[in-house]
Amino acid sequence: MGLCLGLLASVAAQTASAADCPGHPDAIGTSRTLVVDPRAHPIIGTMQYGKTLPLQDHEVVLTFDDGPLPKYSNEILNILAAHCAKATFFLVGSQARANPEGVRKVRDAGHTVGTHTQNHPTGMDRLPFDRSKQEIEQGIASVTAALGDGGGLSPFLRIPGLRRTDEIEDYAAAKGLQLWSADFPADDWRDVTANRVYELAMQRLEKKGKGILLLHDIQPRTVAALPRILREMKARGYRIVHVVPATAERPATPTEPQQWQLHPASEVVATSRWPKVPKFALAGGAVLPAAALSNLDWHTSNLGAPRRGRGVPLPPVAPWPRKAALLPGTTLAALPVPAADIFKMPESARLTLLAWSARRATPVAQARSTEVSAKLDGKSRRRGHAAAAEPATTGLATQTPQGGGRGAAAKPAKEVKRTTRVAGLKKR
């Protein structure tokens, strides 16, 4: 509903503007006049600043630089008159001195007259500040002289090429001058065609949705493109706003601070800023107890202990889980003691383990395992030999060797046993 009302108001404003332009029913006209206070808003234009004129959606302010140059400036004035559109002209002092009549034509047509320095230096940001100040002051003096007794100079200033500096801005603010940048240009000072000027003006206006358009009234391409720009603006629903300075008899148009901002805070969409702390006192609020040092893993006696890293004291004991106390009435279950024979290992199992470990061990360990196995085998063989050498009877029993002849003498048992043991030792 609000959008429909806004569109109806826009159509009504355009109809009224066209009605105020007799003989030109297709004129875009001037929808309203915006009165601004230069001291309250010393800098404007989003091409350089975060602030611009407090325009509504689809409102455009026309500005022209570098005149007056009779051959083209007069044609620009005629085109604007045919559309009943008002603009702001930033005039060069030397041009005004050479063509004072052109300056008065701008004023008499109802347009706003501002200044653009005396000689239009292209690198004003590289000039000494005294030279920049001289350019500004002489430009104002030349345009004022060209206007004569009728006056009409506005405290609006635009720096050539927008080459501003902090010192220039401070000086302009101190003098009560409003420093104008722009919101979008049409590049009509470049070597481009009139069609290209038209395309750039409309493309950038559509992207911005509103703003200050920067043009030049000394270029033939601007003269050729301006009628088409104004017609297309009207066709797309744009409106022309005329800007004038506030005076004692003409107060500034009431505006809100956010209207001058490039990105004003929306009342519908939430912002990313944190809300401010409310300014009220809390009565009877609950206070939580502060943590005591005894609640920590270390004790106060450890405050003088050696520190590591960033100065955190080391705990006196390792912070492992402590033994938990048993609940009253509970006992631990006793497990039976294992029997001793569980750990006995038979001789055959020992030999098997030795052989298995020898295969997986290093050459030195394998040699040692082989030596141990040989010793165990030797002991076993010696035990078997000794058992075979002992006779079935003890005492003084004799034994006849196998295959012994008649002349063989019998040996006592003890001597045979001794002989076997000596043979075993030699074998070893």
Side-chain angles (χ1 to χ4, degrees):
M1 184 66 181
L3 179 60
C4 293
L5 292 176
L7 291 175
L8 290 175
S10 174
V11 172
Q14 291 185 26
T15 303
S17 299
D20 293 339
C21 194
H24 302 280
D26 296 332
I28 188 172
T30 300
S31 63
R32 69 183 180 110
T33 299
L34 176 65
V35 184
V36 299
D37 184 1
R39 294 189 179 273
H41 303 280
I43 53 175
I44 57 172
T46 57
M47 287 183 67
Q48 293 176 293
Y49 306 113
K51 296 181 179 181
T52 190
L53 291 173
L55 301 176
Q56 300 174 7
D57 187 36
H58 276 63
E59 287 189 335
V60 181
V61 174
L62 300 174
T63 63
F64 296 89
D65 290 3
D66 297 353
L69 189 63
K71 182 177 180 179
Y72 302 114
S73 297
N74 290 338
E75 294 188 43
I76 294 292
L77 290 175
N78 293 334
I79 296 170
L80 294 176
H83 282 269
C84 293
K86 300 295 188 246
T88 300
F89 287 78
F90 294 96
L91 307 181
V92 175
S94 58
Q95 297 276 62
R97 182 176 295 178
N99 184 28
E101 183 181 358
V103 177
R104 291 190 291 270
K105 281 185 177 180
V106 172
R107 178 198 60 192
D108 296 343
H111 303 292
T112 300
V113 179
T115 57
H116 200 42
T117 70
Q118 176 66 16
N119 299 296
H120 197 284
T122 56
M124 198 163 171
D125 56 335
R126 298 190 300 269
L127 295 178
F129 173 65
D130 291 339
R131 173 73 184 282
S132 298
K133 183 171 66 172
Q134 184 180 10
E135 281 285 340
I136 295 172
E137 292 176 349
Q138 288 182 356
I140 294 174
S142 297
V143 175
T144 302
L147 288 171
D149 296 336
L153 179 64
S154 299
F156 297 163
L157 170 68
R158 179 175 279 164
I159 301 300
L162 307 181
R163 299 297 185 89
R164 40 73 55 202
T165 65
D166 293 342
E167 291 178 313
I168 291 174
E169 289 177 0
D170 294 340
Y171 170 74
K175 297 287 288 185
L177 300 174
Q178 188 174 56
L179 202 61
W180 282 52
S181 180
D183 292 319
F184 58 98
D187 294 0
D188 58 339
W189 70 90
R190 300 182 184 276
D191 187 15
V192 297
T193 63
N195 184 65
R196 183 57 178 164
V197 172
Y198 159 78
E199 291 176 349
L200 290 176
M202 297 310 301
Q203 288 174 6
R204 292 168 179 173
L205 175 56
E206 286 287 296
K207 186 175 181 180
K208 287 279 188 176
K210 61 180 180 180
I212 305 169
L213 172 59
L214 174 58
L215 295 169
H216 296 77
D217 61 324
I218 64 170
Q219 300 291 344
R221 61 183 67 92
T222 308
V223 173
L226 184 59
R228 188 179 177 190
I229 292 173
L230 295 177
R231 288 195 301 268
E232 189 64 22
M233 281 185 180
K234 182 181 179 181
R236 299 188 187 188
Y238 289 95
R239 304 177 302 280
I240 301 299
V241 173
H242 185 207
V243 183
V244 298
T247 62
E249 299 79 17
R250 184 172 54 191
T253 302
T255 57
E256 295 296 332
Q258 61 268 21
Q259 292 180 264
W260 296 79
Q261 297 175 2
L262 173 60
H263 299 293
S266 174
E267 296 180 358
V268 179
V269 181
T271 63
S272 60
R273 295 189 296 272
W274 293 102
K276 295 182 179 179
V277 178
K279 297 182 179 179
F280 57 86
L282 297 175
V287 180
L288 298 177
L293 190 62
S294 58
N295 298 130
L296 304 177
D297 289 338
W298 54 83
H299 304 288
T300 55
S301 60
N302 190 52
L303 293 178
R307 296 172 181 266
R308 178 187 305 166
R310 298 185 177 180
V312 178
L314 299 177
V317 295
W320 311 122
R322 297 178 176 85
K323 296 181 179 179
L326 297 176
L327 298 175
T330 59
T331 57
L332 294 176
L335 298 177
V337 179
D341 57 355
I342 294 178
F343 302 100
K344 289 184 179 180
M345 184 179 293
E347 187 72 22
S348 60
R350 291 177 61 192
L351 294 175
T352 302
L353 289 174
L354 288 172
W356 176 81
S357 61
R359 289 195 301 269
R360 298 177 60 87
T362 59
V364 176
Q366 186 175 1
R368 290 179 180 176
S369 178
T370 304
E371 181 180 356
V372 172
S373 300
K375 289 181 179 180
L376 292 176
D377 293 342
K379 288 181 180 181
S380 299
R381 285 194 299 271
R382 287 196 299 273
R383 289 174 184 173
H385 292 167
E390 291 181 356
T393 59
T394 58
L396 298 176
T398 58
Q399 180 180 4
T400 303
Q402 295 181 1
R406 239 193 277 183
K411 296 183 179 179
K414 292 182 178 181
E415 186 177 355
V416 173
K417 186 175 181 179
R418 180 175 178 278
T419 303
T420 303
R421 288 178 180 176
V422 171
L425 291 174
K426 289 182 179 180
K427 184 176 182 180
R428 291 177 61 188

